[in-house]
Amino acid sequence: MAEAAQGRVQAAVESAVQGLERDRIRGMQGAMFRCSARCCEDTAASMQEVQRCIERCHAPLARAQAIVTAELEQFQ
């Protein structure tokens, strides 16, 4: 009985994570890649400026992924 309940909880968590990834994370990934591409299109920028720009584009996604990871670790 406890194994069945554990299995249902695990399935619910996996479903929630998949939904979050599909509904939120993918959109953030798309925005990050579009932003990064704009950074690379700036022909007047130095290599370091382009790198910093790309890092700024990645920051929101990295924060979101860190939050999801921390929440899942706390849940376990």
Side-chain angles (χ1 to χ4, degrees):
M1 177 143 165
E3 288 181 17
Q6 184 177 355
R8 288 192 301 273
V9 169
Q10 182 66 29
V13 169
E14 287 177 17
S15 177
V17 170
Q18 288 175 0
L20 182 63
E21 189 276 332
R22 182 182 54 248
D23 298 338
R24 302 288 183 195
I25 301 295
R26 284 187 199 175
M28 292 180 80
Q29 286 175 322
M32 178 202 67
F33 286 121
R34 288 187 294 275
C35 178
S36 296
R38 286 191 300 272
C39 295
C40 295
E41 291 169 355
D42 185 354
T43 57
S46 70
M47 184 172 59
Q48 292 82 11
E49 290 170 327
V50 170
Q51 184 61 37
R52 282 192 300 271
C53 181
I54 291 170
E55 288 170 3
R56 281 191 304 273
C57 293
H58 186 262
L61 177 62
R63 282 192 301 269
Q65 290 175 325
I67 290 168
V68 170
T69 299
E71 290 295 324
L72 287 173
E73 287 174 355
Q74 212 171 32
F75 180 74
Q76 288 178 349

